[in-house]
Amino acid sequence: MNTKELLFQTPIIQNVRVPNYGLADPVNYCQSASNPTFTITFQVSNYANLSPSNQFQLFISNDGFVNPPEGIQISNPTISFVTNNGSTTGTYSATFSFPAQSYGNYRVRVKSTTLSSNATSQVISVYDIIFNAQIPLNVTNGNVIICSGSSFTISILENNNPNPSPLAYPYLTYVWRKKNGANFDIIPNETGPNLTVSAAGVYYVEVNYGPVCSSSASPNTFANSVQVTVTVASASDSLQINSQSGETEVCETIGVELYLQDSSGNLVANGSNITWYLNGTVIPNATTNTYTATQGGAYTASLNNGGSSCTISVPPSEAYVLEDITFNATLNVGTPYELELGGNVDAIVTTDAISPSFEWFLNGNVLAETSNTLNINAAGLYTVIVTENSGCVSTIELNLEVIDPSVDEIPNLISPNGDGVNEKFKVPYSLTSANNLNLEIYNSSGQQVFATENYQNTWPENIDEAFQAKAFFYYKMTKDSQVIKEGILTVIK
């Protein structure tokens, strides 16, 4: 047997192919849940002389088998014999998955456990579709407005809980596009997560999954972003505010949603530097392209996407004005209200509410009364909350301070004549409420005619007592052995 015959009888691995080998190199492979495996074919010459113990092994490398030189071995490929075609060359099929997060140019090498020969495939551009969701951007739902000569940076959001972000995989690169008619042209040399634009247009970004996984005519179906429309405004341009139905009134419990738009009626994009104002005052934390107004007033807004010289606003003359939907409610007594000596007062709410309810409080503590009337016989801070329960549910709070009469207002004249006016010697409620007011009354002769240790505004107890046409009495009030007041009391009929 000569050398040529010996070589011929030794099996040789050769001709590694891939399913789409008819395409020009490099081959592109989009590995995803719907396309989980990849298949190559290879041939073995004189395969009939293979050792029965022979096994074929697959190795991959993305640097031409430099580091490590042997590549990375694929675990558990499925290898099957395809056909012999009546020849001495056997064709085998190897099906396997590239490792998760494979991204770049790879080669596959087939080795044998009993042969010294091997074969290496052409370049395969492998893209594991690790991220396949809409790309979150720092601008959404509207147009980005910039001033002429300024710029704006469109960025992929890093944290987008609970939705994913491709920035979780730092090895990914991106394709930025600008719309050109029906196509989205690739913007050269822009592969990072940010794009700074200074020209008007419609922009788009996608994860770079190669020319096969993507389309050069329009954004692909993998990992899309929303369109970002950029408008260049002049210094004379302004914004406008509108609502869904042109509302002119606002209910505090429902509100009116206001929309910030450019001069053409397009919604301004979220992510713009937006500020809302009510009656010229900044509304805290109102920085999106919509605002739910819950009170009446003049609403304006502004944005700044290009430095101090690029502020575009809603002019004050074009403010969106809303009127409060409310009702009226008043009390029949003013505040502060001073109780009469030992007296009381009915606090009555008058309202034009259609279906009102009432809640009363004394010094912050809720009272049992739920009607529009509260009888008050003690000092304190009274509050009533009136609620309109029909249509626009809203509330009005009314406050009434009730004070005791001063001690200096102890009467010096009474007329117990049965007409119901000034019949009793009434002293301030603050004195009688403690239940230990000592009162002594003497006639003009010095004779004691009344005495009690718990006076409750009851003297004289009998109007039929014989009084002179004009009688003078002396009274003395004490508490805890301390004289509070003493003086002359005149009694007339």
Side-chain angles (χ1 to χ4, degrees), residues 268-306:
V268 172
N270 281 328
S272 301
N273 188 12
I274 297 173
T275 305
W276 286 82
Y277 305 85
L278 174 57
N279 298 326
T281 301
V282 173
I283 302 174
N285 303 317
T287 58
T288 62
N289 55 13
T290 64
Y291 178 74
T292 301
T294 58
Q295 58 181 310
Y299 289 87
T300 56
S302 67
L303 66 83
N304 186 317
N305 284 333

Side-chain angles (χ1 to χ4, degrees), residues 39 123 138 199 256 277-278 305 310 345 367 374 398 407 412 416 449 459:
T39 300
V123 172
N138 64 330
V256 173
Y277 305 85
L278 174 57
N305 284 333
C310 185
V345 64
L367 300 176
L374 178 69
L398 302 174
V407 174
N412 57 14
V449 296
W459 190 84

Side-chain angles (χ1 to χ4, degrees), residues 152-455:
F152 183 85
T153 299
I154 306 169
S155 300
I156 299 174
L157 292 178
E158 182 172 2
N159 297 314
N160 193 43
N161 291 329
N163 299 317
S165 168
L167 297 186
Y169 311 98
Y171 59 87
L172 295 179
T173 61
Y174 304 91
V175 177
W176 289 90
R177 301 176 183 268
K178 183 179 180 183
K179 191 171 184 180
N180 180 15
N183 294 332
F184 282 77
D185 295 340
I186 294 176
I187 302 173
N189 304 317
E190 294 290 349
T191 60
N194 306 301
L195 177 70
T196 300
V197 298
S198 57
V202 177
Y203 297 86
Y204 210 97
V205 66
E206 61 188 24
V207 176
N208 181 14
Y209 285 139
V212 171
C213 303
S214 306
S215 169
S216 61
S218 62
N220 65 20
T221 57
F222 294 120
N224 290 338
S225 76
V226 296
Q227 294 182 7
V228 178
T229 302
V230 177
T231 302
V232 176
S234 66
S236 60
D237 284 344
S238 61
L239 304 177
Q240 59 179 324
I241 297 175
N242 286 302
S243 64
Q244 184 71 34
S245 304
E247 291 90 343
T248 58
E249 295 182 312
V250 59
C251 173
E252 65 176 332
T253 57
I254 300 174
V256 173
E257 189 170 28
L258 304 178
Y259 303 93
L260 183 60
Q261 302 171 335
D262 63 20
S263 57
S264 299
N266 301 308
L267 194 64
V268 172
N270 281 328
S272 301
N273 188 12
I274 297 173
T275 305
W276 286 82
Y277 305 85
L278 174 57
N279 298 326
T281 301
V282 173
I283 302 174
N285 303 317
T287 58
T288 62
N289 55 13
T290 64
Y291 178 74
T292 301
T294 58
Q295 58 181 310
Y299 289 87
T300 56
S302 67
L303 66 83
N304 186 317
N305 284 333
S308 58
S309 61
C310 185
T311 298
I312 307 171
S313 305
V314 177
S317 60
E318 300 296 326
Y320 197 99
V321 178
L322 291 170
E323 298 291 337
D324 286 311
I325 300 176
T326 186
F327 61 95
N328 297 307
T330 58
L331 280 169
N332 63 320
V333 290
T335 185
Y337 179 82
E338 185 174 314
L339 282 173
E340 294 182 359
L341 295 173
N344 59 74
V345 64
D346 282 335
I348 304 172
V349 177
T350 301
T351 179
D352 58 6
I354 298 173
S355 180
S357 60
F358 306 90
E359 190 173 17
W360 293 88
F361 300 84
L362 171 58
N363 299 325
N365 299 311
V366 66
L367 300 176
E369 185 60 65
T370 58
S371 74
N372 71 321
T373 302
L374 178 69
N375 182 262
I376 297 174
N377 58 14
L381 178 61
Y382 291 83
T383 300
V384 58
I385 296 178
V386 186
T387 302
E388 168 62 280
N389 297 289
S390 176
C392 175
V393 177
S394 54
T395 61
I396 291 179
E397 179 180 304
L398 302 174
N399 293 294
L400 173 63
E401 183 182 6
V402 177
I403 59 176
D404 284 323
S406 66
V407 174
D408 291 336
E409 293 183 359
I410 294 173
N412 57 14
L413 183 147
I414 60 173
S415 58
N417 55 11
D419 63 0
V421 178
N422 204 20
E423 297 280 337
K424 304 290 184 180
F425 179 53
K426 290 186 176 181
V427 301
Y429 178 77
S430 59
L431 296 178
T432 61
S433 61
N435 298 324
N436 62 351
L437 176 64
N438 188 314
L439 176 65
E440 301 172 49
I441 299 178
Y442 301 85
N443 62 19
S444 57
S445 301
Q447 180 182 2
Q448 187 181 73
V449 296
F450 181 83
T452 182
E453 294 181 352
N454 182 21
Y455 183 60

